[in-house]
mmCIF file with all atom_site columns, all heavy atoms in Angstrom:
data_model
loop_
_atom_site.group_PDB
_atom_site.id
_atom_site.type_symbol
_atom_site.label_atom_id
_atom_site.label_alt_id
_atom_site.label_comp_id
_atom_site.label_asym_id
_atom_site.label_entity_id
_atom_site.label_seq_id
_atom_site.pdbx_PDB_ins_code
_atom_site.Cartn_x
_atom_site.Cartn_y
_atom_site.Cartn_z
_atom_site.occupancy
_atom_site.B_iso_or_equiv
_atom_site.pdbx_formal_charge
_atom_site.auth_seq_id
_atom_site.auth_comp_id
_atom_site.auth_asym_id
_atom_site.auth_atom_id
_atom_site.pdbx_PDB_model_num
ATOM 1   N N   . GLY A 1 297 ? -1.647 -5.538  14.394 1.00 86.00 ? 297 GLY A N   1
ATOM 2   C CA  . GLY A 1 297 ? -1.277 -6.076  15.690 1.00 86.00 ? 297 GLY A CA  1
ATOM 3   C C   . GLY A 1 297 ? 0.212  -5.935  15.943 1.00 86.00 ? 297 GLY A C   1
ATOM 4   O O   . GLY A 1 297 ? 0.643  -5.494  17.017 1.00 86.00 ? 297 GLY A O   1
ATOM 5   N N   . TYR A 1 298 ? 1.002  -6.256  14.950 1.00 87.00 ? 298 TYR A N   1
ATOM 6   C CA  . TYR A 1 298 ? 2.458  -6.214  15.088 1.00 87.00 ? 298 TYR A CA  1
ATOM 7   C C   . TYR A 1 298 ? 2.961  -4.775  15.193 1.00 87.00 ? 298 TYR A C   1
ATOM 8   O O   . TYR A 1 298 ? 3.768  -4.443  16.054 1.00 87.00 ? 298 TYR A O   1
ATOM 9   C CB  . TYR A 1 298 ? 3.089  -6.901  13.884 1.00 87.00 ? 298 TYR A CB  1
ATOM 10  C CG  . TYR A 1 298 ? 4.584  -7.122  13.980 1.00 87.00 ? 298 TYR A CG  1
ATOM 11  C CD1 . TYR A 1 298 ? 5.102  -8.225  14.657 1.00 87.00 ? 298 TYR A CD1 1
ATOM 12  C CD2 . TYR A 1 298 ? 5.484  -6.242  13.381 1.00 87.00 ? 298 TYR A CD2 1
ATOM 13  C CE1 . TYR A 1 298 ? 6.465  -8.444  14.741 1.00 87.00 ? 298 TYR A CE1 1
ATOM 14  C CE2 . TYR A 1 298 ? 6.851  -6.449  13.460 1.00 87.00 ? 298 TYR A CE2 1
ATOM 15  C CZ  . TYR A 1 298 ? 7.340  -7.552  14.137 1.00 87.00 ? 298 TYR A CZ  1
ATOM 16  O OH  . TYR A 1 298 ? 8.686  -7.756  14.209 1.00 87.00 ? 298 TYR A OH  1
ATOM 17  N N   . SER A 1 299 ? 2.478  -3.913  14.300 1.00 77.00 ? 299 SER A N   1
ATOM 18  C CA  . SER A 1 299 ? 2.992  -2.540  14.241 1.00 77.00 ? 299 SER A CA  1
ATOM 19  C C   . SER A 1 299 ? 2.643  -1.736  15.490 1.00 77.00 ? 299 SER A C   1
ATOM 20  O O   . SER A 1 299 ? 3.454  -0.941  15.964 1.00 77.00 ? 299 SER A O   1
ATOM 21  C CB  . SER A 1 299 ? 2.429  -1.820  13.002 1.00 77.00 ? 299 SER A CB  1
ATOM 22  O OG  . SER A 1 299 ? 2.783  -2.506  11.822 1.00 77.00 ? 299 SER A OG  1
ATOM 23  N N   . THR A 1 300 ? 1.445  -1.949  16.011 1.00 71.00 ? 300 THR A N   1
ATOM 24  C CA  . THR A 1 300 ? 1.001  -1.163  17.158 1.00 71.00 ? 300 THR A CA  1
ATOM 25  C C   . THR A 1 300 ? 1.537  -1.711  18.476 1.00 71.00 ? 300 THR A C   1
ATOM 26  O O   . THR A 1 300 ? 1.854  -0.949  19.395 1.00 71.00 ? 300 THR A O   1
ATOM 27  C CB  . THR A 1 300 ? -0.539 -1.118  17.215 1.00 71.00 ? 300 THR A CB  1
ATOM 28  O OG1 . THR A 1 300 ? -1.044 -0.619  15.971 1.00 71.00 ? 300 THR A OG1 1
ATOM 29  C CG2 . THR A 1 300 ? -1.022 -0.212  18.343 1.00 71.00 ? 300 THR A CG2 1
ATOM 30  N N   . PHE A 1 301 ? 1.692  -3.032  18.564 1.00 78.00 ? 301 PHE A N   1
ATOM 31  C CA  . PHE A 1 301 ? 2.004  -3.633  19.859 1.00 78.00 ? 301 PHE A CA  1
ATOM 32  C C   . PHE A 1 301 ? 3.411  -4.207  19.953 1.00 78.00 ? 301 PHE A C   1
ATOM 33  O O   . PHE A 1 301 ? 3.754  -4.819  20.968 1.00 78.00 ? 301 PHE A O   1
ATOM 34  C CB  . PHE A 1 301 ? 0.984  -4.740  20.181 1.00 78.00 ? 301 PHE A CB  1
ATOM 35  C CG  . PHE A 1 301 ? -0.371 -4.207  20.531 1.00 78.00 ? 301 PHE A CG  1
ATOM 36  C CD1 . PHE A 1 301 ? -1.347 -4.044  19.568 1.00 78.00 ? 301 PHE A CD1 1
ATOM 37  C CD2 . PHE A 1 301 ? -0.670 -3.833  21.836 1.00 78.00 ? 301 PHE A CD2 1
ATOM 38  C CE1 . PHE A 1 301 ? -2.595 -3.543  19.884 1.00 78.00 ? 301 PHE A CE1 1
ATOM 39  C CE2 . PHE A 1 301 ? -1.911 -3.324  22.168 1.00 78.00 ? 301 PHE A CE2 1
ATOM 40  C CZ  . PHE A 1 301 ? -2.878 -3.178  21.189 1.00 78.00 ? 301 PHE A CZ  1
ATOM 41  N N   . LEU A 1 302 ? 4.247  -4.030  18.920 1.00 82.00 ? 302 LEU A N   1
ATOM 42  C CA  . LEU A 1 302 ? 5.598  -4.585  18.995 1.00 82.00 ? 302 LEU A CA  1
ATOM 43  C C   . LEU A 1 302 ? 6.363  -4.077  20.222 1.00 82.00 ? 302 LEU A C   1
ATOM 44  O O   . LEU A 1 302 ? 6.997  -4.880  20.926 1.00 82.00 ? 302 LEU A O   1
ATOM 45  C CB  . LEU A 1 302 ? 6.382  -4.297  17.713 1.00 82.00 ? 302 LEU A CB  1
ATOM 46  C CG  . LEU A 1 302 ? 7.797  -4.885  17.665 1.00 82.00 ? 302 LEU A CG  1
ATOM 47  C CD1 . LEU A 1 302 ? 7.766  -6.409  17.819 1.00 82.00 ? 302 LEU A CD1 1
ATOM 48  C CD2 . LEU A 1 302 ? 8.503  -4.500  16.363 1.00 82.00 ? 302 LEU A CD2 1
ATOM 49  N N   . PRO A 1 303 ? 6.351  -2.755  20.528 1.00 78.00 ? 303 PRO A N   1
ATOM 50  C CA  . PRO A 1 303 ? 7.048  -2.307  21.750 1.00 78.00 ? 303 PRO A CA  1
ATOM 51  C C   . PRO A 1 303 ? 6.511  -2.992  23.006 1.00 78.00 ? 303 PRO A C   1
ATOM 52  O O   . PRO A 1 303 ? 7.278  -3.384  23.892 1.00 78.00 ? 303 PRO A O   1
ATOM 53  C CB  . PRO A 1 303 ? 6.784  -0.794  21.779 1.00 78.00 ? 303 PRO A CB  1
ATOM 54  C CG  . PRO A 1 303 ? 6.499  -0.435  20.360 1.00 78.00 ? 303 PRO A CG  1
ATOM 55  C CD  . PRO A 1 303 ? 5.774  -1.612  19.787 1.00 78.00 ? 303 PRO A CD  1
ATOM 56  N N   . THR A 1 304 ? 5.183  -3.161  23.062 1.00 78.00 ? 304 THR A N   1
ATOM 57  C CA  . THR A 1 304 ? 4.571  -3.811  24.218 1.00 78.00 ? 304 THR A CA  1
ATOM 58  C C   . THR A 1 304 ? 4.977  -5.278  24.300 1.00 78.00 ? 304 THR A C   1
ATOM 59  O O   . THR A 1 304 ? 5.266  -5.804  25.383 1.00 78.00 ? 304 THR A O   1
ATOM 60  C CB  . THR A 1 304 ? 3.033  -3.692  24.148 1.00 78.00 ? 304 THR A CB  1
ATOM 61  O OG1 . THR A 1 304 ? 2.669  -2.310  24.103 1.00 78.00 ? 304 THR A OG1 1
ATOM 62  C CG2 . THR A 1 304 ? 2.377  -4.333  25.351 1.00 78.00 ? 304 THR A CG2 1
ATOM 63  N N   . LEU A 1 305 ? 4.996  -5.949  23.135 1.00 78.00 ? 305 LEU A N   1
ATOM 64  C CA  . LEU A 1 305 ? 5.363  -7.370  23.099 1.00 78.00 ? 305 LEU A CA  1
ATOM 65  C C   . LEU A 1 305 ? 6.801  -7.572  23.558 1.00 78.00 ? 305 LEU A C   1
ATOM 66  O O   . LEU A 1 305 ? 7.103  -8.480  24.333 1.00 78.00 ? 305 LEU A O   1
ATOM 67  C CB  . LEU A 1 305 ? 5.171  -7.923  21.685 1.00 78.00 ? 305 LEU A CB  1
ATOM 68  C CG  . LEU A 1 305 ? 3.738  -7.966  21.144 1.00 78.00 ? 305 LEU A CG  1
ATOM 69  C CD1 . LEU A 1 305 ? 3.718  -8.473  19.710 1.00 78.00 ? 305 LEU A CD1 1
ATOM 70  C CD2 . LEU A 1 305 ? 2.867  -8.847  22.025 1.00 78.00 ? 305 LEU A CD2 1
ATOM 71  N N   . ILE A 1 306 ? 7.702  -6.728  23.062 1.00 83.00 ? 306 ILE A N   1
ATOM 72  C CA  . ILE A 1 306 ? 9.112  -6.855  23.441 1.00 83.00 ? 306 ILE A CA  1
ATOM 73  C C   . ILE A 1 306 ? 9.307  -6.550  24.919 1.00 83.00 ? 306 ILE A C   1
ATOM 74  O O   . ILE A 1 306 ? 10.065 -7.221  25.618 1.00 83.00 ? 306 ILE A O   1
ATOM 75  C CB  . ILE A 1 306 ? 9.986  -5.933  22.564 1.00 83.00 ? 306 ILE A CB  1
ATOM 76  C CG1 . ILE A 1 306 ? 9.975  -6.439  21.109 1.00 83.00 ? 306 ILE A CG1 1
ATOM 77  C CG2 . ILE A 1 306 ? 11.413 -5.881  23.081 1.00 83.00 ? 306 ILE A CG2 1
ATOM 78  C CD1 . ILE A 1 306 ? 10.733 -5.560  20.144 1.00 83.00 ? 306 ILE A CD1 1
ATOM 79  N N   . GLN A 1 307 ? 8.576  -5.557  25.395 1.00 79.00 ? 307 GLN A N   1
ATOM 80  C CA  . GLN A 1 307 ? 8.678  -5.191  26.809 1.00 79.00 ? 307 GLN A CA  1
ATOM 81  C C   . GLN A 1 307 ? 8.195  -6.335  27.704 1.00 79.00 ? 307 GLN A C   1
ATOM 82  O O   . GLN A 1 307 ? 8.738  -6.565  28.787 1.00 79.00 ? 307 GLN A O   1
ATOM 83  C CB  . GLN A 1 307 ? 7.869  -3.934  27.081 1.00 79.00 ? 307 GLN A CB  1
ATOM 84  C CG  . GLN A 1 307 ? 8.054  -3.359  28.482 1.00 79.00 ? 307 GLN A CG  1
ATOM 85  C CD  . GLN A 1 307 ? 7.275  -2.067  28.662 1.00 79.00 ? 307 GLN A CD  1
ATOM 86  O OE1 . GLN A 1 307 ? 6.077  -2.023  28.386 1.00 79.00 ? 307 GLN A OE1 1
ATOM 87  N NE2 . GLN A 1 307 ? 7.941  -1.017  29.118 1.00 79.00 ? 307 GLN A NE2 1
ATOM 88  N N   . SER A 1 308 ? 7.201  -7.074  27.214 1.00 76.00 ? 308 SER A N   1
ATOM 89  C CA  . SER A 1 308 ? 6.601  -8.123  28.039 1.00 76.00 ? 308 SER A CA  1
ATOM 90  C C   . SER A 1 308 ? 7.441  -9.393  28.106 1.00 76.00 ? 308 SER A C   1
ATOM 91  O O   . SER A 1 308 ? 7.250  -10.214 29.014 1.00 76.00 ? 308 SER A O   1
ATOM 92  C CB  . SER A 1 308 ? 5.209  -8.469  27.499 1.00 76.00 ? 308 SER A CB  1
ATOM 93  O OG  . SER A 1 308 ? 5.301  -9.128  26.241 1.00 76.00 ? 308 SER A OG  1
ATOM 94  N N   . ILE A 1 309 ? 8.358  -9.594  27.138 1.00 75.00 ? 309 ILE A N   1
ATOM 95  C CA  . ILE A 1 309 ? 9.130  -10.842 27.119 1.00 75.00 ? 309 ILE A CA  1
ATOM 96  C C   . ILE A 1 309 ? 10.509 -10.690 27.760 1.00 75.00 ? 309 ILE A C   1
ATOM 97  O O   . ILE A 1 309 ? 11.296 -11.640 27.771 1.00 75.00 ? 309 ILE A O   1
ATOM 98  C CB  . ILE A 1 309 ? 9.293  -11.380 25.681 1.00 75.00 ? 309 ILE A CB  1
ATOM 99  C CG1 . ILE A 1 309 ? 10.052 -10.384 24.798 1.00 75.00 ? 309 ILE A CG1 1
ATOM 100 C CG2 . ILE A 1 309 ? 7.942  -11.699 25.069 1.00 75.00 ? 309 ILE A CG2 1
ATOM 101 C CD1 . ILE A 1 309 ? 10.288 -10.882 23.375 1.00 75.00 ? 309 ILE A CD1 1
ATOM 102 N N   . GLY A 1 310 ? 10.816 -9.512  28.278 1.00 73.00 ? 310 GLY A N   1
ATOM 103 C CA  . GLY A 1 310 ? 12.114 -9.307  28.922 1.00 73.00 ? 310 GLY A CA  1
ATOM 104 C C   . GLY A 1 310 ? 12.019 -8.264  30.012 1.00 73.00 ? 310 GLY A C   1
ATOM 105 O O   . GLY A 1 310 ? 10.939 -7.749  30.319 1.00 73.00 ? 310 GLY A O   1
ATOM 106 N N   . LYS A 1 311 ? 13.142 -7.941  30.593 1.00 76.00 ? 311 LYS A N   1
ATOM 107 C CA  . LYS A 1 311 ? 13.200 -6.937  31.657 1.00 76.00 ? 311 LYS A CA  1
ATOM 108 C C   . LYS A 1 311 ? 14.013 -5.742  31.190 1.00 76.00 ? 311 LYS A C   1
ATOM 109 O O   . LYS A 1 311 ? 14.957 -5.309  31.859 1.00 76.00 ? 311 LYS A O   1
ATOM 110 C CB  . LYS A 1 311 ? 13.797 -7.549  32.925 1.00 76.00 ? 311 LYS A CB  1
ATOM 111 C CG  . LYS A 1 311 ? 12.952 -8.671  33.518 1.00 76.00 ? 311 LYS A CG  1
ATOM 112 C CD  . LYS A 1 311 ? 13.570 -9.243  34.786 1.00 76.00 ? 311 LYS A CD  1
ATOM 113 C CE  . LYS A 1 311 ? 12.709 -10.352 35.371 1.00 76.00 ? 311 LYS A CE  1
ATOM 114 N NZ  . LYS A 1 311 ? 13.299 -10.926 36.609 1.00 76.00 ? 311 LYS A NZ  1
ATOM 115 N N   . TRP A 1 312 ? 13.624 -5.211  30.022 1.00 78.00 ? 312 TRP A N   1
ATOM 116 C CA  . TRP A 1 312 ? 14.369 -4.105  29.435 1.00 78.00 ? 312 TRP A CA  1
ATOM 117 C C   . TRP A 1 312 ? 13.733 -2.773  29.805 1.00 78.00 ? 312 TRP A C   1
ATOM 118 O O   . TRP A 1 312 ? 12.529 -2.677  30.020 1.00 78.00 ? 312 TRP A O   1
ATOM 119 C CB  . TRP A 1 312 ? 14.406 -4.250  27.910 1.00 78.00 ? 312 TRP A CB  1
ATOM 120 C CG  . TRP A 1 312 ? 15.113 -5.493  27.455 1.00 78.00 ? 312 TRP A CG  1
ATOM 121 C CD1 . TRP A 1 312 ? 16.436 -5.782  27.602 1.00 78.00 ? 312 TRP A CD1 1
ATOM 122 C CD2 . TRP A 1 312 ? 14.536 -6.612  26.787 1.00 78.00 ? 312 TRP A CD2 1
ATOM 123 N NE1 . TRP A 1 312 ? 16.728 -7.012  27.055 1.00 78.00 ? 312 TRP A NE1 1
ATOM 124 C CE2 . TRP A 1 312 ? 15.584 -7.540  26.544 1.00 78.00 ? 312 TRP A CE2 1
ATOM 125 C CE3 . TRP A 1 312 ? 13.260 -6.940  26.343 1.00 78.00 ? 312 TRP A CE3 1
ATOM 126 C CZ2 . TRP A 1 312 ? 15.385 -8.755  25.909 1.00 78.00 ? 312 TRP A CZ2 1
ATOM 127 C CZ3 . TRP A 1 312 ? 13.047 -8.147  25.710 1.00 78.00 ? 312 TRP A CZ3 1
ATOM 128 C CH2 . TRP A 1 312 ? 14.101 -9.045  25.503 1.00 78.00 ? 312 TRP A CH2 1
ATOM 129 N N   . SER A 1 313 ? 14.538 -1.734  29.807 1.00 76.00 ? 313 SER A N   1
ATOM 130 C CA  . SER A 1 313 ? 14.022 -0.387  30.032 1.00 76.00 ? 313 SER A CA  1
ATOM 131 C C   . SER A 1 313 ? 13.315 0.085   28.769 1.00 76.00 ? 313 SER A C   1
ATOM 132 O O   . SER A 1 313 ? 13.469 -0.496  27.692 1.00 76.00 ? 313 SER A O   1
ATOM 133 C CB  . SER A 1 313 ? 15.177 0.570   30.355 1.00 76.00 ? 313 SER A CB  1
ATOM 134 O OG  . SER A 1 313 ? 16.062 0.674   29.239 1.00 76.00 ? 313 SER A OG  1
ATOM 135 N N   . THR A 1 314 ? 12.535 1.154   28.911 1.00 70.00 ? 314 THR A N   1
ATOM 136 C CA  . THR A 1 314 ? 11.789 1.682   27.764 1.00 70.00 ? 314 THR A CA  1
ATOM 137 C C   . THR A 1 314 ? 12.705 2.062   26.594 1.00 70.00 ? 314 THR A C   1
ATOM 138 O O   . THR A 1 314 ? 12.415 1.710   25.446 1.00 70.00 ? 314 THR A O   1
ATOM 139 C CB  . THR A 1 314 ? 10.945 2.895   28.193 1.00 70.00 ? 314 THR A CB  1
ATOM 140 O OG1 . THR A 1 314 ? 9.964  2.458   29.143 1.00 70.00 ? 314 THR A OG1 1
ATOM 141 C CG2 . THR A 1 314 ? 10.230 3.501   26.994 1.00 70.00 ? 314 THR A CG2 1
#
Side-chain angles (χ1 to χ4, degrees):
Y298 189 83
S299 301
T300 305
F301 288 93
L302 182 59
T304 301
L305 295 177
I306 293 176
Q307 188 177 52
S308 69
I309 61 178
K311 296 181 180 180
W312 298 294
S313 64
T314 296

